[in-house]
Amino acid sequence: QVQLVESGGGLVQAGGSLRLSCAASGLTFSNYAMGWFRQAPEKEREFVATIRWSDSDTYYADSVRGRFTISRDNGKNTVYLQMNTLKPEDTAVYYCAARTSVAVSTRKDQYRHWGQGTQVTVSS
């Protein structure tokens, strides 16, 4: 059974940083592209970042490019999202997702497995 468990969320002031982690189990991690999505209250879940299995290909939403960095450690079955220069509009529940393909995608319907999410709140 595939499990994705996010951690690292919390409350931070604008301009601060957080590092999210997502530990995966029940899958051959290196065979999956991984993604981060987020969902703010009363908004649809939106793409944040994605990374190819080999860590050589990453893609970001325009709203986070230059501030967020996605990375992965295939030896630890973990994907990370380093978030810097956080803004109040980054406030959301952040979800980790796994795609049954090595290629990246920005579409949430392309991801088969999802974590439960971790709350990130950025105060102004």
PDB file of all heavy atoms in Angstrom, residues 59-91:
ATOM      1  N   TYR A  59      10.167  21.568 -12.389  1.00  0.00           N
ATOM      2  CA  TYR A  59       9.308  22.600 -12.975  1.00  0.00           C
ATOM      3  C   TYR A  59       8.502  23.227 -11.860  1.00  0.00           C
ATOM      4  O   TYR A  59       8.084  22.537 -10.928  1.00  0.00           O
ATOM      5  CB  TYR A  59       8.403  21.994 -14.039  1.00  0.00           C
ATOM      6  CG  TYR A  59       7.677  23.045 -14.846  1.00  0.00           C
ATOM      7  CD1 TYR A  59       8.336  23.766 -15.827  1.00  0.00           C
ATOM      8  CD2 TYR A  59       6.333  23.324 -14.601  1.00  0.00           C
ATOM      9  CE1 TYR A  59       7.682  24.748 -16.548  1.00  0.00           C
ATOM     10  CE2 TYR A  59       5.673  24.303 -15.318  1.00  0.00           C
ATOM     11  CZ  TYR A  59       6.352  25.000 -16.294  1.00  0.00           C
ATOM     12  OH  TYR A  59       5.702  25.967 -17.008  1.00  0.00           O
ATOM     13  N   TYR A  60       8.282  24.548 -11.965  1.00  0.00           N
ATOM     14  CA  TYR A  60       7.621  25.294 -10.901  1.00  0.00           C
ATOM     15  C   TYR A  60       6.471  26.136 -11.448  1.00  0.00           C
ATOM     16  O   TYR A  60       6.513  26.599 -12.583  1.00  0.00           O
ATOM     17  CB  TYR A  60       8.626  26.227 -10.215  1.00  0.00           C
ATOM     18  CG  TYR A  60       9.767  25.514  -9.548  1.00  0.00           C
ATOM     19  CD1 TYR A  60      10.944  25.249 -10.235  1.00  0.00           C
ATOM     20  CD2 TYR A  60       9.677  25.085  -8.218  1.00  0.00           C
ATOM     21  CE1 TYR A  60      11.995  24.583  -9.632  1.00  0.00           C
ATOM     22  CE2 TYR A  60      10.726  24.424  -7.603  1.00  0.00           C
ATOM     23  CZ  TYR A  60      11.884  24.171  -8.327  1.00  0.00           C
ATOM     24  OH  TYR A  60      12.920  23.515  -7.721  1.00  0.00           O
ATOM     25  N   ALA A  61       5.495  26.363 -10.595  1.00  0.00           N
ATOM     26  CA  ALA A  61       4.482  27.348 -10.904  1.00  0.00           C
ATOM     27  C   ALA A  61       5.127  28.728 -10.928  1.00  0.00           C
ATOM     28  O   ALA A  61       6.084  28.994 -10.178  1.00  0.00           O
ATOM     29  CB  ALA A  61       3.375  27.304  -9.855  1.00  0.00           C
ATOM     30  N   ASP A  62       4.595  29.615 -11.754  1.00  0.00           N
ATOM     31  CA  ASP A  62       5.162  30.959 -11.857  1.00  0.00           C
ATOM     32  C   ASP A  62       5.162  31.669 -10.507  1.00  0.00           C
ATOM     33  O   ASP A  62       6.072  32.449 -10.212  1.00  0.00           O
ATOM     34  CB  ASP A  62       4.358  31.785 -12.871  1.00  0.00           C
ATOM     35  CG  ASP A  62       4.576  31.336 -14.299  1.00  0.00           C
ATOM     36  OD1 ASP A  62       5.572  30.615 -14.556  1.00  0.00           O
ATOM     37  OD2 ASP A  62       3.747  31.686 -15.145  1.00  0.00           O
ATOM     38  N   SER A  63       4.157  31.403  -9.704  1.00  0.00           N
ATOM     39  CA  SER A  63       3.992  32.110  -8.437  1.00  0.00           C
ATOM     40  C   SER A  63       5.066  31.763  -7.413  1.00  0.00           C
ATOM     41  O   SER A  63       5.259  32.498  -6.444  1.00  0.00           O
ATOM     42  CB  SER A  63       2.615  31.821  -7.849  1.00  0.00           C
ATOM     43  OG  SER A  63       2.459  30.423  -7.639  1.00  0.00           O
ATOM     44  N   VAL A  64       5.772  30.635  -7.612  1.00  0.00           N
ATOM     45  CA  VAL A  64       6.772  30.218  -6.626  1.00  0.00           C
ATOM     46  C   VAL A  64       8.178  30.124  -7.207  1.00  0.00           C
ATOM     47  O   VAL A  64       9.146  29.957  -6.454  1.00  0.00           O
ATOM     48  CB  VAL A  64       6.399  28.867  -5.981  1.00  0.00           C
ATOM     49  CG1 VAL A  64       4.982  28.915  -5.424  1.00  0.00           C
ATOM     50  CG2 VAL A  64       6.565  27.706  -6.952  1.00  0.00           C
ATOM     51  N   ARG A  65       8.302  30.229  -8.515  1.00  0.00           N
ATOM     52  CA  ARG A  65       9.615  30.073  -9.148  1.00  0.00           C
ATOM     53  C   ARG A  65      10.585  31.125  -8.607  1.00  0.00           C
ATOM     54  O   ARG A  65      10.261  32.302  -8.508  1.00  0.00           O
ATOM     55  CB  ARG A  65       9.494  30.192 -10.660  1.00  0.00           C
ATOM     56  CG  ARG A  65      10.782  29.850 -11.404  1.00  0.00           C
ATOM     57  CD  ARG A  65      10.592  29.874 -12.911  1.00  0.00           C
ATOM     58  NE  ARG A  65       9.723  28.780 -13.335  1.00  0.00           N
ATOM     59  CZ  ARG A  65       8.509  28.977 -13.888  1.00  0.00           C
ATOM     60  NH1 ARG A  65       8.071  30.209 -14.087  1.00  0.00           N
ATOM     61  NH2 ARG A  65       7.785  27.949 -14.258  1.00  0.00           N
ATOM     62  N   GLY A  66      11.761  30.672  -8.237  1.00  0.00           N
ATOM     63  CA  GLY A  66      12.753  31.570  -7.654  1.00  0.00           C
ATOM     64  C   GLY A  66      12.700  31.649  -6.141  1.00  0.00           C
ATOM     65  O   GLY A  66      13.645  32.126  -5.511  1.00  0.00           O
ATOM     66  N   ARG A  67      11.610  31.170  -5.546  1.00  0.00           N
ATOM     67  CA  ARG A  67      11.483  31.179  -4.077  1.00  0.00           C
ATOM     68  C   ARG A  67      11.451  29.765  -3.501  1.00  0.00           C
ATOM     69  O   ARG A  67      11.931  29.544  -2.396  1.00  0.00           O
ATOM     70  CB  ARG A  67      10.200  31.915  -3.663  1.00  0.00           C
ATOM     71  CG  ARG A  67      10.134  33.353  -4.103  1.00  0.00           C
ATOM     72  CD  ARG A  67       8.925  34.058  -3.493  1.00  0.00           C
ATOM     73  NE  ARG A  67       7.661  33.495  -3.939  1.00  0.00           N
ATOM     74  CZ  ARG A  67       6.739  32.988  -3.120  1.00  0.00           C
ATOM     75  NH1 ARG A  67       6.931  32.995  -1.816  1.00  0.00           N
ATOM     76  NH2 ARG A  67       5.599  32.498  -3.601  1.00  0.00           N
ATOM     77  N   PHE A  68      10.866  28.845  -4.237  1.00  0.00           N
ATOM     78  CA  PHE A  68      10.739  27.460  -3.766  1.00  0.00           C
ATOM     79  C   PHE A  68      11.693  26.565  -4.547  1.00  0.00           C
ATOM     80  O   PHE A  68      11.958  26.803  -5.734  1.00  0.00           O
ATOM     81  CB  PHE A  68       9.315  26.945  -3.983  1.00  0.00           C
ATOM     82  CG  PHE A  68       8.263  27.571  -3.113  1.00  0.00           C
ATOM     83  CD1 PHE A  68       8.511  28.682  -2.327  1.00  0.00           C
ATOM     84  CD2 PHE A  68       6.985  27.012  -3.073  1.00  0.00           C
ATOM     85  CE1 PHE A  68       7.530  29.251  -1.539  1.00  0.00           C
ATOM     86  CE2 PHE A  68       5.984  27.559  -2.290  1.00  0.00           C
ATOM     87  CZ  PHE A  68       6.261  28.689  -1.528  1.00  0.00           C
ATOM     88  N   THR A  69      12.172  25.517  -3.877  1.00  0.00           N
ATOM     89  CA  THR A  69      13.032  24.532  -4.526  1.00  0.00           C
ATOM     90  C   THR A  69      12.577  23.132  -4.154  1.00  0.00           C
ATOM     91  O   THR A  69      12.460  22.811  -2.960  1.00  0.00           O
ATOM     92  CB  THR A  69      14.498  24.709  -4.099  1.00  0.00           C
ATOM     93  OG1 THR A  69      14.932  26.036  -4.412  1.00  0.00           O
ATOM     94  CG2 THR A  69      15.386  23.705  -4.823  1.00  0.00           C
ATOM     95  N   ILE A  70      12.315  22.319  -5.159  1.00  0.00           N
ATOM     96  CA  ILE A  70      11.953  20.925  -4.933  1.00  0.00           C
ATOM     97  C   ILE A  70      13.188  20.061  -5.131  1.00  0.00           C
ATOM     98  O   ILE A  70      14.017  20.326  -6.013  1.00  0.00           O
ATOM     99  CB  ILE A  70      10.810  20.485  -5.885  1.00  0.00           C
ATOM    100  CG1 ILE A  70      10.302  19.093  -5.506  1.00  0.00           C
ATOM    101  CG2 ILE A  70      11.236  20.568  -7.342  1.00  0.00           C
ATOM    102  CD1 ILE A  70       9.027  18.686  -6.267  1.00  0.00           C
ATOM    103  N   SER A  71      13.317  19.046  -4.285  1.00  0.00           N
ATOM    104  CA  SER A  71      14.439  18.121  -4.403  1.00  0.00           C
ATOM    105  C   SER A  71      13.987  16.758  -3.887  1.00  0.00           C
ATOM    106  O   SER A  71      12.920  16.636  -3.276  1.00  0.00           O
ATOM    107  CB  SER A  71      15.658  18.610  -3.621  1.00  0.00           C
ATOM    108  OG  SER A  71      15.361  18.710  -2.241  1.00  0.00           O
ATOM    109  N   ARG A  72      14.810  15.754  -4.133  1.00  0.00           N
ATOM    110  CA  ARG A  72      14.444  14.425  -3.680  1.00  0.00           C
ATOM    111  C   ARG A  72      15.695  13.644  -3.314  1.00  0.00           C
ATOM    112  O   ARG A  72      16.781  13.891  -3.846  1.00  0.00           O
ATOM    113  CB  ARG A  72      13.638  13.680  -4.744  1.00  0.00           C
ATOM    114  CG  ARG A  72      14.392  13.381  -6.022  1.00  0.00           C
ATOM    115  CD  ARG A  72      13.440  12.857  -7.107  1.00  0.00           C
ATOM    116  NE  ARG A  72      12.910  11.539  -6.786  1.00  0.00           N
ATOM    117  CZ  ARG A  72      11.839  11.008  -7.390  1.00  0.00           C
ATOM    118  NH1 ARG A  72      11.201  11.689  -8.323  1.00  0.00           N
ATOM    119  NH2 ARG A  72      11.412   9.811  -7.056  1.00  0.00           N
ATOM    120  N   ASP A  73      15.505  12.694  -2.411  1.00  0.00           N
ATOM    121  CA  ASP A  73      16.565  11.772  -2.015  1.00  0.00           C
ATOM    122  C   ASP A  73      16.010  10.369  -2.230  1.00  0.00           C
ATOM    123  O   ASP A  73      15.221   9.873  -1.412  1.00  0.00           O
ATOM    124  CB  ASP A  73      16.946  12.008  -0.552  1.00  0.00           C
ATOM    125  CG  ASP A  73      18.117  11.153  -0.105  1.00  0.00           C
ATOM    126  OD1 ASP A  73      18.347  10.077  -0.703  1.00  0.00           O
ATOM    127  OD2 ASP A  73      18.801  11.549   0.854  1.00  0.00           O
ATOM    128  N   ASN A  74      16.392   9.756  -3.335  1.00  0.00           N
ATOM    129  CA  ASN A  74      15.841   8.436  -3.663  1.00  0.00           C
ATOM    130  C   ASN A  74      16.298   7.367  -2.669  1.00  0.00           C
ATOM    131  O   ASN A  74      15.612   6.362  -2.478  1.00  0.00           O
ATOM    132  CB  ASN A  74      16.233   8.042  -5.090  1.00  0.00           C
ATOM    133  CG  ASN A  74      15.462   8.840  -6.130  1.00  0.00           C
ATOM    134  OD1 ASN A  74      14.426   9.427  -5.836  1.00  0.00           O
ATOM    135  ND2 ASN A  74      15.980   8.882  -7.350  1.00  0.00           N
ATOM    136  N   GLY A  75      17.424   7.599  -2.026  1.00  0.00           N
ATOM    137  CA  GLY A  75      17.888   6.650  -1.018  1.00  0.00           C
ATOM    138  C   GLY A  75      17.040   6.666   0.243  1.00  0.00           C
ATOM    139  O   GLY A  75      16.952   5.675   0.962  1.00  0.00           O
ATOM    140  N   LYS A  76      16.401   7.802   0.489  1.00  0.00           N
ATOM    141  CA  LYS A  76      15.551   7.947   1.683  1.00  0.00           C
ATOM    142  C   LYS A  76      14.069   7.950   1.336  1.00  0.00           C
ATOM    143  O   LYS A  76      13.228   8.151   2.219  1.00  0.00           O
ATOM    144  CB  LYS A  76      15.896   9.246   2.414  1.00  0.00           C
ATOM    145  CG  LYS A  76      17.296   9.276   3.000  1.00  0.00           C
ATOM    146  CD  LYS A  76      17.535  10.562   3.767  1.00  0.00           C
ATOM    147  CE  LYS A  76      18.913  10.564   4.395  1.00  0.00           C
ATOM    148  NZ  LYS A  76      19.175  11.815   5.159  1.00  0.00           N
ATOM    149  N   ASN A  77      13.739   7.751   0.042  1.00  0.00           N
ATOM    150  CA  ASN A  77      12.333   7.780  -0.389  1.00  0.00           C
ATOM    151  C   ASN A  77      11.625   9.046   0.074  1.00  0.00           C
ATOM    152  O   ASN A  77      10.487   8.998   0.555  1.00  0.00           O
ATOM    153  CB  ASN A  77      11.586   6.545   0.136  1.00  0.00           C
ATOM    154  CG  ASN A  77      11.900   5.290  -0.653  1.00  0.00           C
ATOM    155  OD1 ASN A  77      12.837   5.273  -1.447  1.00  0.00           O
ATOM    156  ND2 ASN A  77      11.140   4.243  -0.433  1.00  0.00           N
ATOM    157  N   THR A  78      12.287  10.168  -0.070  1.00  0.00           N
ATOM    158  CA  THR A  78      11.752  11.421   0.447  1.00  0.00           C
ATOM    159  C   THR A  78      11.905  12.528  -0.594  1.00  0.00           C
ATOM    160  O   THR A  78      12.920  12.615  -1.277  1.00  0.00           O
ATOM    161  CB  THR A  78      12.476  11.820   1.741  1.00  0.00           C
ATOM    162  OG1 THR A  78      12.299  10.773   2.719  1.00  0.00           O
ATOM    163  CG2 THR A  78      11.908  13.115   2.308  1.00  0.00           C
ATOM    164  N   VAL A  79      10.876  13.353  -0.683  1.00  0.00           N
ATOM    165  CA  VAL A  79      10.921  14.545  -1.520  1.00  0.00           C
ATOM    166  C   VAL A  79      10.742  15.764  -0.611  1.00  0.00           C
ATOM    167  O   VAL A  79      10.034  15.680   0.398  1.00  0.00           O
ATOM    168  CB  VAL A  79       9.848  14.500  -2.635  1.00  0.00           C
ATOM    169  CG1 VAL A  79       8.452  14.449  -2.053  1.00  0.00           C
ATOM    170  CG2 VAL A  79       9.995  15.650  -3.597  1.00  0.00           C
ATOM    171  N   TYR A  80      11.402  16.830  -0.968  1.00  0.00           N
ATOM    172  CA  TYR A  80      11.413  18.036  -0.141  1.00  0.00           C
ATOM    173  C   TYR A  80      10.902  19.236  -0.927  1.00  0.00           C
ATOM    174  O   TYR A  80      10.992  19.276  -2.155  1.00  0.00           O
ATOM    175  CB  TYR A  80      12.845  18.341   0.335  1.00  0.00           C
ATOM    176  CG  TYR A  80      13.511  17.195   1.058  1.00  0.00           C
ATOM    177  CD1 TYR A  80      14.370  16.330   0.379  1.00  0.00           C
ATOM    178  CD2 TYR A  80      13.284  16.972   2.410  1.00  0.00           C
ATOM    179  CE1 TYR A  80      14.991  15.277   1.038  1.00  0.00           C
ATOM    180  CE2 TYR A  80      13.902  15.915   3.071  1.00  0.00           C
ATOM    181  CZ  TYR A  80      14.749  15.075   2.371  1.00  0.00           C
ATOM    182  OH  TYR A  80      15.350  14.030   3.025  1.00  0.00           O
ATOM    183  N   LEU A  81      10.422  20.212  -0.185  1.00  0.00           N
ATOM    184  CA  LEU A  81      10.074  21.497  -0.780  1.00  0.00           C
ATOM    185  C   LEU A  81      10.620  22.577   0.145  1.00  0.00           C
ATOM    186  O   LEU A  81      10.087  22.793   1.237  1.00  0.00           O
ATOM    187  CB  LEU A  81       8.568  21.656  -0.960  1.00  0.00           C
ATOM    188  CG  LEU A  81       8.142  22.929  -1.695  1.00  0.00           C
ATOM    189  CD1 LEU A  81       8.589  22.862  -3.163  1.00  0.00           C
ATOM    190  CD2 LEU A  81       6.638  23.138  -1.612  1.00  0.00           C
ATOM    191  N   GLN A  82      11.703  23.208  -0.287  1.00  0.00           N
ATOM    192  CA  GLN A  82      12.269  24.324   0.459  1.00  0.00           C
ATOM    193  C   GLN A  82      11.551  25.589   0.022  1.00  0.00           C
ATOM    194  O   GLN A  82      11.560  25.921  -1.164  1.00  0.00           O
ATOM    195  CB  GLN A  82      13.771  24.438   0.184  1.00  0.00           C
ATOM    196  CG  GLN A  82      14.439  25.612   0.875  1.00  0.00           C
ATOM    197  CD  GLN A  82      14.443  25.494   2.381  1.00  0.00           C
ATOM    198  OE1 GLN A  82      14.719  24.436   2.934  1.00  0.00           O
ATOM    199  NE2 GLN A  82      14.117  26.580   3.063  1.00  0.00           N
ATOM    200  N   MET A  83      10.947  26.281   0.969  1.00  0.00           N
ATOM    201  CA  MET A  83      10.161  27.469   0.665  1.00  0.00           C
ATOM    202  C   MET A  83      10.800  28.668   1.355  1.00  0.00           C
ATOM    203  O   MET A  83      10.874  28.718   2.585  1.00  0.00           O
ATOM    204  CB  MET A  83       8.724  27.284   1.157  1.00  0.00           C
ATOM    205  CG  MET A  83       8.061  26.024   0.616  1.00  0.00           C
ATOM    206  SD  MET A  83       6.315  25.904   1.055  1.00  0.00           S
ATOM    207  CE  MET A  83       6.442  25.746   2.837  1.00  0.00           C
ATOM    208  N   ASN A  84      11.260  29.599   0.560  1.00  0.00           N
ATOM    209  CA  ASN A  84      11.894  30.819   1.061  1.00  0.00           C
ATOM    210  C   ASN A  84      11.076  32.040   0.692  1.00  0.00           C
ATOM    211  O   ASN A  84      10.236  31.986  -0.207  1.00  0.00           O
ATOM    212  CB  ASN A  84      13.304  30.945   0.485  1.00  0.00           C
ATOM    213  CG  ASN A  84      14.223  29.817   0.884  1.00  0.00           C
ATOM    214  OD1 ASN A  84      14.091  29.236   1.966  1.00  0.00           O
ATOM    215  ND2 ASN A  84      15.165  29.473   0.021  1.00  0.00           N
ATOM    216  N   THR A  85      11.344  33.124   1.381  1.00  0.00           N
ATOM    217  CA  THR A  85      10.650  34.398   1.122  1.00  0.00           C
ATOM    218  C   THR A  85       9.143  34.182   1.043  1.00  0.00           C
ATOM    219  O   THR A  85       8.468  34.585   0.084  1.00  0.00           O
ATOM    220  CB  THR A  85      11.167  35.041  -0.182  1.00  0.00           C
ATOM    221  OG1 THR A  85      12.579  34.894  -0.290  1.00  0.00           O
ATOM    222  CG2 THR A  85      10.840  36.529  -0.200  1.00  0.00           C
ATOM    223  N   LEU A  86       8.619  33.540   2.053  1.00  0.00           N
ATOM    224  CA  LEU A  86       7.203  33.196   2.050  1.00  0.00           C
ATOM    225  C   LEU A  86       6.324  34.443   2.121  1.00  0.00           C
ATOM    226  O   LEU A  86       6.684  35.450   2.748  1.00  0.00           O
ATOM    227  CB  LEU A  86       6.887  32.258   3.202  1.00  0.00           C
ATOM    228  CG  LEU A  86       7.310  30.799   2.945  1.00  0.00           C
ATOM    229  CD1 LEU A  86       7.421  30.026   4.258  1.00  0.00           C
ATOM    230  CD2 LEU A  86       6.330  30.122   2.010  1.00  0.00           C
ATOM    231  N   LYS A  87       5.173  34.339   1.484  1.00  0.00           N
ATOM    232  CA  LYS A  87       4.205  35.433   1.421  1.00  0.00           C
ATOM    233  C   LYS A  87       2.879  34.953   2.002  1.00  0.00           C
ATOM    234  O   LYS A  87       2.595  33.747   1.982  1.00  0.00           O
ATOM    235  CB  LYS A  87       3.988  35.843  -0.032  1.00  0.00           C
ATOM    236  CG  LYS A  87       5.245  36.240  -0.779  1.00  0.00           C
ATOM    237  CD  LYS A  87       4.936  36.533  -2.242  1.00  0.00           C
ATOM    238  CE  LYS A  87       6.192  36.888  -3.013  1.00  0.00           C
ATOM    239  NZ  LYS A  87       5.894  37.168  -4.450  1.00  0.00           N
ATOM    240  N   PRO A  88       2.042  35.866   2.480  1.00  0.00           N
ATOM    241  CA  PRO A  88       0.732  35.448   3.003  1.00  0.00           C
ATOM    242  C   PRO A  88      -0.078  34.652   1.989  1.00  0.00           C
ATOM    243  O   PRO A  88      -0.820  33.737   2.370  1.00  0.00           O
ATOM    244  CB  PRO A  88       0.062  36.781   3.339  1.00  0.00           C
ATOM    245  CG  PRO A  88       1.209  37.687   3.680  1.00  0.00           C
ATOM    246  CD  PRO A  88       2.304  37.297   2.739  1.00  0.00           C
ATOM    247  N   GLU A  89       0.071  34.947   0.727  1.00  0.00           N
ATOM    248  CA  GLU A  89      -0.675  34.211  -0.305  1.00  0.00           C
ATOM    249  C   GLU A  89      -0.164  32.784  -0.513  1.00  0.00           C
ATOM    250  O   GLU A  89      -0.779  32.013  -1.263  1.00  0.00           O
ATOM    251  CB  GLU A  89      -0.665  34.965  -1.634  1.00  0.00           C
ATOM    252  CG  GLU A  89       0.706  35.389  -2.120  1.00  0.00           C
ATOM    253  CD  GLU A  89       1.043  36.827  -1.760  1.00  0.00           C
ATOM    254  OE1 GLU A  89       0.775  37.231  -0.596  1.00  0.00           O
ATOM    255  OE2 GLU A  89       1.597  37.538  -2.630  1.00  0.00           O
ATOM    256  N   ASP A  90       0.917  32.421   0.145  1.00  0.00           N
ATOM    257  CA  ASP A  90       1.377  31.033   0.117  1.00  0.00           C
ATOM    258  C   ASP A  90       0.633  30.169   1.140  1.00  0.00           C
ATOM    259  O   ASP A  90       0.823  28.948   1.179  1.00  0.00           O
ATOM    260  CB  ASP A  90       2.876  30.951   0.401  1.00  0.00           C
ATOM    261  CG  ASP A  90       3.727  31.585  -0.684  1.00  0.00           C
ATOM    262  OD1 ASP A  90       3.401  31.400  -1.878  1.00  0.00           O
ATOM    263  OD2 ASP A  90       4.712  32.269  -0.332  1.00  0.00           O
ATOM    264  N   THR A  91      -0.180  30.795   1.973  1.00  0.00           N
ATOM    265  CA  THR A  91      -0.939  30.057   2.980  1.00  0.00           C
ATOM    266  C   THR A  91      -1.869  29.045   2.325  1.00  0.00           C
ATOM    267  O   THR A  91      -2.679  29.400   1.461  1.00  0.00           O
ATOM    268  CB  THR A  91      -1.748  31.022   3.857  1.00  0.00           C
ATOM    269  OG1 THR A  91      -0.847  31.849   4.600  1.00  0.00           O
ATOM    270  CG2 THR A  91      -2.649  30.265   4.822  1.00  0.00           C
TER     271      THR A  91
END
